[in-house]
Amino acid sequence: MQNTDKLTAIASQFDLKGRILGIKPLGNGLINDTYLVTSDGPDNYVLQRINNAIFRDVELLQHNIDCATAHIRRKLAGDPDIDRKVLSFVRCTATGKSYWTDGQTWWRVSIFIKDSCTYETVDPKYSYLAGKNFGQFEAMLADIPDTLGETIPDFHNMELRARQLHEAVEADAAGRMKLPEVKEILSKMLPFEHEMCRAERMYREGLLPKRICHCDTKVNNMLFDKEGNILCVIDLDTLMPSFVFSDFGDFLRSAANTVAEDDPDVAKIDFRMDIFEAFAKGYLEGTSSFLTAVEKENLPFAACLFPYMQAVRFFTDYINGDTYYKIKYPEHNLVRTRNQWALFESALSKVPQMKAIIG
Ligand code: GN1
Ligand code: MG
């Protein structure tokens, strides 16, 4: 976190309209630092420090975002509410680029979408709309003429995530491998590793395409208007080529969980089938123009893969000594791991029901 004077100086690097009135933290992302900049001009702004330790190639990242938002803007041309349905990034006055850097830290500014809000939970009605919306988002980007790159190489590659877990266990940097519970969790995870790496094998066999996906479709990455309609998806840093499982699985990981991803009370965790059913219906409608039979029949797999992958990622970070995710207390990543593991087990037990719904 930075002080207001520094933040004001950074925000002033961008072509803002009006004077800055105030800057305060916004949202609860685990990676970037986000602030709301209020101004006396026509718009307020969102200032974000891009976590360059995680996103190493900010130039590529902003290229992806610039291309994708421009493409969506073309698709929505004529929509009277277009400025609330796609993000607008403000240019750096000196360079004309959509980010500014002092060589140490990287920043960008977007226009705050008026009368919008985010939620941490959704009901089946909104899950249906979210499915449709994320599906249509992928459909809109299906014919993007630009080449987009992977802003985090192999971001949702389960083989890589499994390898990183093995490396963490080997290195035991924080001395946490001696904890009995850590050993127990590891012994539960490993038997599923091969099955959970199925998508990478299908890709190598030419059975599965990569498409432009959002790759962070958490419930709180969608903006709603005050009437509860979905406006647009936000947090586009991880927009990149991936399997559609990313967007399908990651939404359900947050939406179908009966509790938040860091709730310690795992006894309360259940994978909600009403949310699955509603989201799948919307998603299948939104993606009907391109989704293949192989992608469709593996959607139940995706619903299991993402709690599994997230459990592996939180657990790896715990073993590494909490170097990746922001934590609020020392056991935070372990609590998150237990939570995602319980969600994975619940989802796995419901695969037959999921298959019946997908058809
Ligand atoms: C991170 O930044 P945020 O909180 O939207 C992470 C996601 C995880 C998520 C878990 C770049 O997203 O992949 O699913 O935390 N983003 C990155 O809450 O690693
Ligand atoms: Mg986010």
Side-chain angles (χ1 to χ4, degrees), residues 28-32 54-55 152 155-156 161 215-216 218 220-221 235 237-238 250 253 261 310 313-314 324-325:
N28 52 5
L30 301 186
I31 308 291
N32 295 326
I54 289 176
F55 297 104
I152 298 177
F155 183 48
H156 280 165
R161 298 305 180 184
C215 295
D216 191 13
K218 289 198 293 197
N220 63 14
N221 278 335
D235 200 354
D237 296 321
T238 52
D250 218 18
R253 187 185 70 75
E261 71 180 16
Q310 196 63 59
R313 292 178 62 197
F314 284 145
Y324 189 92
Y325 293 107

Side-chain angles (χ1 to χ4, degrees), residues 43 51 77 108 118 173 209 229 290 337 353 359:
D43 290 304
N51 185 332
R108 70 171 162 234
T118 56
N229 304 303
F290 66 84
T337 305
Q353 285 164 260

